[in-house]
Amino acid sequence: DTGVSQDPRHKITKRGQNVTFRCDPISEHNRLYWYRQTLGQGPEFLTYFQNEAQLEKSRLLSDRFSAERPKGSFSTLEIQRTEQGDSAMYLCASSKAIDGNEQFFGPGTRLTVL
Amino acid sequence: GIQVEQSPPDLILQEGANSTLRCNFSDSVNNLQWFHQNPWGQLINLFYIPSGTKQNGRLSATTVATERYSLLYISSSQTTDSGVYFCAAYSGGGADGLTFGKGTHLIIQP
């Protein structure tokens, strides 16, 4: 059973550019989460999917952020018109609801906006 | 939403020492997890423990749900135990996103 994978692991971009990250959850996990972690802080919840439905979005998720999970498997997180404040580690997690919803995290994508 | 507080924020110990990390939460929980974040940023699952006591090798955890706290015990610390330990909780009633504490930064010196 492979773990949660994320791609790319690192991304450096210039302010104003769009970026897209991918997350592949543990197979058969129907729930998928995105979190953001800035330096010295704990991760903060961004959004959540159950199968292909996006059920909740945090107030942290501005209009420049969009997430999809079109077939209920992998998910993408896109940031449009990146700003320096978007620099952070973006973490993906997945869980299987029937197991009490224990969440397992991927290695993260570290975004640097210049 | 639920508030999660961890203490101490920093802890420096000699190899071989024992340590106790505390997590207080402000509401009843459906999910409580302990993680170790390695230097590359990966969150490693230590315990899923909304209540009760669990042990895994040198690590153990106890959650007293009625008093809204959880403890992580590390015995016979090794330098590889260094890193940041996070407690995260979910209280229900909405998205299943975990609320994380600020973490305890543990340094084990040889």
Side-chain angles (χ1 to χ4, degrees):
Chain A
D1 187 18
T2 58
V4 179
S5 62
Q6 294 187 243
D7 184 71
R9 296 291 305 277
H10 303 273
K11 180 70 177 178
I12 300 174
T13 191
K14 293 182 179 179
R15 190 174 51 188
Q17 298 294 305
N18 299 343
V19 294
T20 300
F21 310 141
R22 176 179 171 127
C23 170
D24 287 86
I26 294 171
S27 58
E28 299 181 356
H29 277 194
N30 61 340
R31 294 182 175 179
L32 187 148
Y33 311 79
W34 286 98
Y35 293 80
R36 180 173 67 188
Q37 184 178 22
T38 54
L39 202 61
Q41 301 296 314
E44 296 173 294
F45 169 72
L46 293 179
T47 190
Y48 150 63
F49 291 84
Q50 177 147 320
N51 300 312
E52 66 276 9
Q54 187 173 17
L55 296 186
E56 188 75 19
K57 292 195 289 186
S58 161
R59 289 171 295 175
L60 294 174
L61 212 65
S62 77
D63 291 344
R64 296 184 296 105
F65 288 69
S66 62
E68 294 182 344
R69 193 183 184 198
K71 297 182 179 179
S73 56
F74 72 92
S75 175
T76 58
L77 177 68
E78 181 183 18
I79 309 174
Q80 296 182 326
R81 305 181 303 282
T82 53
E83 303 173 355
Q84 287 186 324
D86 297 331
S87 295
M89 175 77 92
Y90 290 85
L91 294 161
C92 176
S94 69
S95 71
K96 189 163 57 173
I98 61 173
D99 285 345
N101 205 32
E102 180 180 6
Q103 296 184 25
F104 295 85
F105 282 77
T109 294
R110 188 172 296 280
L111 173 66
T112 302
V113 181
L114 302 176
Chain B
I2 191 170
Q3 306 297 313
V4 178
E5 294 184 356
Q6 292 186 244
S7 61
D10 301 282
L11 187 58
I12 301 174
L13 297 171
Q14 294 298 120
E15 199 168 22
N18 300 330
S19 58
T20 301
L21 282 57
R22 186 177 180 101
C23 172
N24 293 333
F25 42 92
S26 61
D27 202 349
S28 58
V29 294
N30 290 344
N31 179 354
L32 189 134
Q33 294 184 240
W34 283 96
F35 298 92
H36 177 207
Q37 190 163 43
N38 67 22
W40 299 271
Q42 172 85 57
L43 284 166
I44 309 298
N45 286 43
L46 297 178
F47 293 102
Y48 169 77
I49 188 165
S51 64
T53 297
K54 291 185 178 180
Q55 181 158 4
N56 184 4
R58 296 182 296 104
L59 274 60
S60 63
T62 295
T63 297
V64 183
T66 53
E67 297 187 22
R68 298 184 182 170
Y69 72 89
S70 183
L71 301 174
L72 177 68
Y73 305 97
I74 304 174
S75 64
S76 305
S77 298
Q78 301 175 359
T79 55
T80 52
D81 294 331
S82 297
V84 183
Y85 289 79
F86 286 106
C87 169
Y90 163 66
S91 62
D96 286 342
L98 292 168
T99 298
F100 281 75
K102 292 182 182 290
T104 292
H105 188 195
L106 177 64
I107 297 174
I108 305 298
Q109 296 179 332

